[in-house]
Amino acid sequence: MESYPTLKERLVERGLVSAEELERVLKLQQEQQSRLTRLVVELGFVSEDDLLPVLSDHFGIPQVSLKDFPLTPLPIEQLLDAVDFLKLSRIAPLKVEEQELLVAITDPTDLPRLHALEIATGLRVRPVLAKEKEITARIEALFGNGYATEPLPGLPAVREAEAVVDEEEVEHLRDMASEVPVIRLVNQILNRALESRASDIHIEPFESQLKVRYRIDGILHEVDPPPRQLKAAIVSRLKILARLNIAERRLPQDGRIKVKIAGKDVDLRIATIPTLYGESIVIRLLERAQIFSDLESLGPPPAILQRFSEMISKPHGMLLVTGPTGSGKTTTLYAALQKIDDPGKKIITIEDPVEYQLSGVNQIQVKPQIGLTFANGLRSIVRQDPDVIMIGEIRDFETAEIAVQAALTGHLVFSTLHTNDAAGAISRLLEMGVQDYLLASSLLGVLAQRLVRRLCLSCRKEVEYASAKVEDFTGEPPKIHWEAQGCDACSDTGYLGRIGIFELLPATAEICKLIVQRSDAASIRNLAISQGMRPLREDGLDKVAQGVTTLSEVLRVTREEG
């Protein structure tokens, strides 16, 4: 008699979980009486995208996209009374044919719930497999927005705690944060964020609701909120994960932790801040596998890439990367460090915070509360005999002065500044008090950059340009460009990932003369353009013409250039 592999065996055979991970899951399954399919996802060993095809093969249930099923109300009165049940069970009704109800599910092993639905509706239930986020969206579209207002099963009642928490309340918070429903909810928030390619999660308490928003490709998107009464439990769970003080609600706190989500190693940087209605939390997701390994993948034009590569290969001098917060400056410098890293060089960084851990690089986290500032750290770094120094940001004269001195004494120095363009970085340093002749002697160049969203290649649409859309542009816009549409691949946003647009200002002899003369940023910028520097917007228009991004994206990130 032919024997078929069990689901556990299939997961191991396909390399989705190791034997050791499976043993851990089975042990936890016995303790919590949870389902195997749910645990492997919640523990981060397997992503939903990888698990569903295995479940489809194993149980012989087709996997579908709910976009193939029209959104129409179903004439089944019993479903209106079972909305909370459907949400909790993650079952989305799709259509009725004769005496059969077609439903989308994520867990085909949850037979009791399917049987309960058959009893409630009096129909034969036929399941298909779909992604959890599609099922949740379909339920909300059919029955209205918002989660059930009743507490989840097995969860103790939550009371609003005062700013000062006593010992008994701390234990109460710890107990709540250890409840299985809360752990699942927090894991679900993290899993969905990673599946959505989010870089940040914002959990924000307001008077009547608890908002959750994901930052995807630089833009915030609101998602279905958890019940507001779980606010204290969710916050406590996250603070425990990050080893923060759950009793302290009056002061901001920061922490970080390494976790495994959907089979991927992720660093979570968690920051809390007290607001009028409770603590607001921002979680930065730093997926270690996603850091750019080469400068080419950042998207600089060939001419800028070549000149920038020459600059970072110099034995000494200072190279600056400038742009607003979130424009990818640190990522560019990390890529530069990886390009020049070799056993013959000692590289030290001082950052606030250390975002990614780089192999072979000595990284220092500033700690102002104990006196370890950029300036104080730099003084110690130059005594460590480094070849390359990276400073997370030049914020004051003291840091700028030490950076310039280090560049003049045989070190290659990388750093960032918050200015709108490359020429503005020179003016900013002069305004800080850096001596003009020292800056002219040490500066190699300034790279300014922005991040624009990449068009999804699966659904972008080619259109003729409308002059009204580009009236703020100088220069000739492309006659043909592409617009965002939206599809499954890009979660209906029309965009998939981001790419940089750049301008590079080399410190030529003529530019250095203007620095010594303390000329303004406009004069330096005009001279650099006359010498061949292409402004940010021109690089953006090139990428529009190539179908990489849209005119609206380039205009959005370069408005101050107009």
Side-chain angles (χ1 to χ4, degrees), residues 308-524:
F308 187 77
S309 298
E310 292 170 359
M311 290 179 183
I312 64 176
S313 300
K314 298 284 186 182
H316 56 81
M318 183 167 66
L319 180 62
L320 300 173
V321 179
T322 186
T325 300
S327 58
K329 302 184 297 295
T330 303
T331 302
T332 297
L333 289 183
Y334 278 171
L337 291 178
Q338 289 183 323
K339 187 175 181 69
I340 65 173
D341 186 26
D342 68 56
K345 292 180 180 177
K346 178 163 184 174
I347 301 174
I348 303 180
T349 76
I350 180 163
E351 306 169 62
D352 183 23
V354 174
E355 293 201 359
Y356 288 98
Q357 297 177 16
L358 302 176
S359 176
V361 176
N362 297 275
Q363 294 174 272
I364 301 170
Q365 167 83 47
V366 301
K367 295 177 182 176
Q369 62 270 26
I370 61 171
L372 181 55
T373 61
F374 278 118
N376 290 338
L378 265 176
R379 289 192 183 92
S380 300
I381 286 173
V382 294
R383 293 194 289 269
Q384 290 288 310
D385 189 29
D387 297 289
V388 183
I389 302 170
M390 180 189 127
I391 307 163
E393 183 185 348
I394 293 178
R395 299 174 179 171
D396 52 47
F397 166 69
E398 197 174 8
T399 305
E401 184 182 40
I402 301 170
V404 169
Q405 291 292 344
L408 289 171
T409 54
H411 304 92
L412 182 60
V413 178
F414 297 158
S415 191
T416 72
L417 274 173
H418 284 93
T419 60
N420 289 333
D421 60 10
I426 295 173
S427 297
R428 180 67 53 81
L429 290 173
L430 293 175
E431 290 165 3
M432 282 183 182
V434 176
Q435 294 292 328
D436 46 51
Y437 63 93
L438 295 179
L439 180 59
S441 301
S442 61
L443 188 66
L444 296 173
V446 184
L447 181 75
Q449 69 178 70
R450 301 287 189 279
L451 290 177
V452 293
R453 291 182 290 172
R454 284 179 181 265
L455 275 167
C456 174
L457 299 180
S458 300
C459 64
R460 65 179 182 175
K461 181 182 178 183
E462 189 174 359
V463 295
E464 291 186 7
Y465 93 92
S467 58
K469 290 186 178 181
V470 291
E471 58 186 8
D472 293 328
F473 280 91
T474 56
E476 182 65 26
K479 291 184 172 57
I480 297 292
H481 64 98
W482 282 260
E483 288 185 348
Q485 296 298 304
C487 65
D488 286 343
C490 59
S491 301
D492 286 322
T493 62
Y495 297 95
L496 197 60
R498 290 191 288 177
I499 192 170
I501 60 174
F502 303 87
E503 69 178 25
L504 179 61
L505 190 159
T508 62
E510 293 78 13
I511 293 291
C512 288
K513 285 180 182 178
L514 290 187
I515 294 174
V516 173
Q517 295 168 10
R518 304 186 72 86
S519 298
D520 59 22
S523 301
I524 294 172

Side-chain angles (χ1 to χ4, degrees), residues 5 22 134 162 182 295 350 354 367 386 403 440 475 542:
L22 181 62
E134 290 188 355
E162 287 83 25
V182 173
L295 287 167
I350 180 163
V354 174
K367 295 177 182 176
D542 285 347

